[in-house]
């Protein structure tokens, strides 16, 4: 079979890195869109996963010409649109930027991609955040009712780009993915913030971690499992949308408790509302709350029903909630204690 070519937008992000790795292992030629940032870009991705199979092209989802250029250079068979302003909390502060990247960005990309090659297949990174506070469990049949600018932008991308292009006969589909995490997760998302901070607390490098809403429930899976589902969706003959989730949900508080337990630093919760704290066995406060980490609107309870993906794609997650906590804590211990030991040398 001829070598396939994929273009990944958002290749420097959590999912982009796992997907690039996965596609290289499948023998793909992989191109990634890289936006210029002032700090050192993650260009090592080319060396880390490549052997020359990953090539990066400068571009930006906000700049049509750069998208055209990336498509002309890469000539992809498959496009994975993962680029996004992906932080829900920040979307309340930067709604226009969020809309321009997440919705208009897909519009620019899909319009040009289908013009250059009507046969190209496009995966769109949709999200459980589009359900807002629709009653769980959420499936492909549940109502979309976003409560954040991020959720709105992703819903517009789905309804105004994915659905109309598909109606015209093009191959484009949405993966409605529930939260997925990993040691590569940005530290401003709650799971990584907790694993990274509590490891520092455990090793005496930080006193405590300050957080927001502990009652929110999320259906947390492992990013490595979820990129496999993205690829599976594009191997089908006809495009369809799929919910990808573990089917198990936990509160943010439970994630903290499990992380602390795995670190051998069990915590007890006390207090109410903003005065709630978690204390370790010596009675030291290791988690406290601050209003600034609460959102204007909150999605309270996400729990996905991925029966359709399990039946039609044959997909199922391999990593459990406890495995995920263990994996993230162990990676952060290695990162933090490893680097600390290095500093002492
Ligand atoms: P992430 O780690 O935040 O990565 C986002 C990527 O988008 C980064 O590579 C970032 O580049 C890139 N990007 C941002 N703005 C851009 C622009 N203007 N032009 C080009 N690239 C731009 O996100 P993730 O967790 O990997 O998620 C991947 C996708 O899945 C996102 O679309 C997200 O909204 C969606 N999603 C994620 C989850 C989840 O739980 N992880 C769940 C459902 C849906 P820089 O490195 O330059 O910032
Ligand atoms: O980790 P989070 O920031 O993820 P959130 O908002 O669920 O969004 C992630 O998942 C979506 C899929 O549903 C993706 F589409 C999106 O791109 C992103 O990857 O927050 C999870 C929960 C929220 O309820 C938040 O209010 O944790 C709560 N939380 C409590 N304290 C906190 C904190 N979140 C963050 N980021 N930081 C805190 O200190």
């Amino acid at each position: 079979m001829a070598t396939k070519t994929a273009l990944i937008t958002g290749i420097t992000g959590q999912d982009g890195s796992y997907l690039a790795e996965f596609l290289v292992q499948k023998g793909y030629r992989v191109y990634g869109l890289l936006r210029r940032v002032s700090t050192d870009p993650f260009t090592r991705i080319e060396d880390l996963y490549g052997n020359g199979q990953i090539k990066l092209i400068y571009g930006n989802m906000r700049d049509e010409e750069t998208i055209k250029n990336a498509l002309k250079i890469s000539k992809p068979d498959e496009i994975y649109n993962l680029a996004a302003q992906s932080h829900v909390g920040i979307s309340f502060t930067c709604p226009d930027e969020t809309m321009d990247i997440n919705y208009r960005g897909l519009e620019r990309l899909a319009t040009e991609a289908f013009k250059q090659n009507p046969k190209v297949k496009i995966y769109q990174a949709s999200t459980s955040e589009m359900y807002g506070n629709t009653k769980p469990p959420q499936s492909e049949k549940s109502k979309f009712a976003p409560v954040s600018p991020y959720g709105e932008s992703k819903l517009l991308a789905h309804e105004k780009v994915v659905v109309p292009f598909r109606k015209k006969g093009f191959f484009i589909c949405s993966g409605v993915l529930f939260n997925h995490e990993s040691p590569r997760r940005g530290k401003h998302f709650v799971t990584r913030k907790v694993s990274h901070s509590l490891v520092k607390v455990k090793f005496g490098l930080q006193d405590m971690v300050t957080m927001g809403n502990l009652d929110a429930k999320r259906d947390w899976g492992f990013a490595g499992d979820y990129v496999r589902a993205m690829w599976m969706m594009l191997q089908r003959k006809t495009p369809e949308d799929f919910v990808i989730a573990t089917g198990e949900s936990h509160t943010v508080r439970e994630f903290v408790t499990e992380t602390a337990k795995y670190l051998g630093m069990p915590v007890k919760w006390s207090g109410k509302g903003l005065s709630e704290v978690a204390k370790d066995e010596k009675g030291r406060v290791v988690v406290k709350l601050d209003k600034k980490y609460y959102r204007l609107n909150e999605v309270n309870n996400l729990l996905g029903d991925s029966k359709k993906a399990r039946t039609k794609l044959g997909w199922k997650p391999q990593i459990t909630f406890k495995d995920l906590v263990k994996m993230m804590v162990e990676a952060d211990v290695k990162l933090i204690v490893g680097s600390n030991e290095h500093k002492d040398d």
Side-chain angles (χ1 to χ4, degrees), residues 86 127-128 150 179 185 188 190 193 212-213 216 218 295 298:
S86 71
T127 164
S128 47
Y150 170 79
N179 298 49
R185 187 63 145 152
H188 46 292
V190 78
K193 177 172 170 175
N213 181 12
R218 291 292 182 271
R295 293 172 185 173
E298 179 64 287

Side-chain angles (χ1 to χ4, degrees), residues 143-164:
K143 191 174 162 242
F144 292 131
V147 298
S148 65
Y150 170 79
E152 292 270 358
S153 69
K154 287 284 187 171
L155 182 58
L156 283 170
H158 176 70
E159 287 184 338
K160 305 257 182 236
V161 186
V162 175
V163 173

